[in-house]
Amino acid sequence: MKTLDVTEAARIIDRMDRGLDGPDVVETIDLRGVQAAMLKRGILYIAGTNEFSDWFEFNFDFIHDRAPDAHGFRMAAGDSGAIWHAGFLEHAQIVYAFAKPQKPAFIIGHSLGGASAQIVGASLGVPSLSFGSPRTHLGRTHFGREGFVLNICRTDDTLCHLPPRFFGFRHIGSVHWLSPPVSDVEEGHSIASYAELLEQGPLPPTFPKAWPPSA
């Protein structure tokens, strides 16, 4: 099975965040605040929040009906019946429609893009790497294909701790927490800080350097 180096994935995101262009780009989508690009080698890149208004649209949309047990977060059921943060699901559904005919070999994303990578990766059964992503799913139910998803979170990245776990939210897939030598709440969320920590360490002994891990 093909694998993708985790540090390389972070560097690809860092580069692509500067614009959906370059010699590796095969096809792109830019629709309703959702941006993604299909790259050579079968890598689907999902952009994070493009503008401040996008963040509020997909992360803090409080104007719709809320599930009574969602503690103020707007929730929605996916096709499988699973309950998701509605903003993340809405974003992921747009990416899913773009990604499915592309048949990606890998999916990568950071922040809001990482939230989509969780959902789309589990839906398509595609190895997915999510950096600095919030928790997307409400409930303890596990899905058959969420084993394709790897979440990389820094302990000083506030977004990784939201929505709160004690409200019943969780990341789907595997979650690996990285502890930087010096905590930096202001910069800890940036994809550049993730790439730097992956390159310089320290990394836990069990941290997978490539995804999916080779048998």
Side-chain angles (χ1 to χ4, degrees):
M1 179 182 292
K2 294 182 179 179
T3 63
L4 179 61
D5 183 85
V6 175
T7 303
E8 180 187 6
R11 284 302 183 193
I12 292 172
I13 295 172
D14 190 26
R15 184 181 75 250
M16 291 300 301
D17 279 353
R18 302 185 184 101
L20 297 182
D21 52 19
D24 292 339
V25 176
V26 177
E27 190 168 349
T28 65
I29 182 175
D30 188 347
L31 177 66
R32 293 166 49 197
V34 178
Q35 294 182 318
M38 193 67 201
L39 311 178
K40 294 178 181 178
R41 295 171 52 198
I43 299 173
L44 173 66
Y45 155 81
I46 308 174
T49 305
N50 188 36
E51 297 178 355
F52 194 64
S53 59
D54 295 340
W55 176 260
F56 272 88
E57 178 179 356
F58 292 110
N59 294 273
F60 294 107
D61 188 345
F62 291 100
I63 63 175
H64 296 276
D65 293 337
R66 307 173 186 85
D69 57 349
H71 304 278
F73 294 94
R74 185 168 62 96
M75 309 305 297
D79 292 341
S80 66
I83 304 300
W84 305 97
H85 180 292
F88 303 152
L89 178 62
E90 179 184 352
H91 190 281
Q93 286 172 331
I94 296 173
V95 175
Y96 179 89
F98 171 72
K100 188 174 182 180
Q102 304 288 339
K103 298 182 179 179
F106 304 100
I107 300 173
I108 60 175
H110 168 250
S111 192
L112 177 57
S116 264
Q118 289 182 54
I119 300 172
V120 177
S123 298
L124 292 177
V126 172
S128 302
L129 294 91
S130 170
F131 298 86
S133 169
R135 299 183 176 106
T136 57
H137 177 57
L138 180 65
R140 297 181 179 180
T141 303
H142 284 258
F143 316 105
R145 293 193 288 188
E146 69 174 272
F148 285 95
V149 181
L150 171 66
N151 294 278
I152 301 102
C153 295
R154 286 175 56 120
T155 54
D156 59 351
D157 184 348
T158 302
L159 191 62
C160 290
H161 301 276
L162 298 174
R165 185 167 54 187
F166 56 78
F167 283 168
F169 290 89
R170 69 178 181 90
H171 296 94
I172 62 169
S174 302
V175 184
H176 285 263
W177 291 90
L178 305 180
S179 298
V182 179
S183 181
D184 189 344
V185 176
E186 290 187 3
E187 295 296 330
H189 179 61
S190 72
I191 189 61
S193 74
Y194 275 86
E196 181 178 345
L197 183 56
L198 288 167
E199 290 173 347
Q200 299 180 5
L203 300 177
T206 58
F207 183 80
K209 295 183 178 180
W211 190 256
S214 57

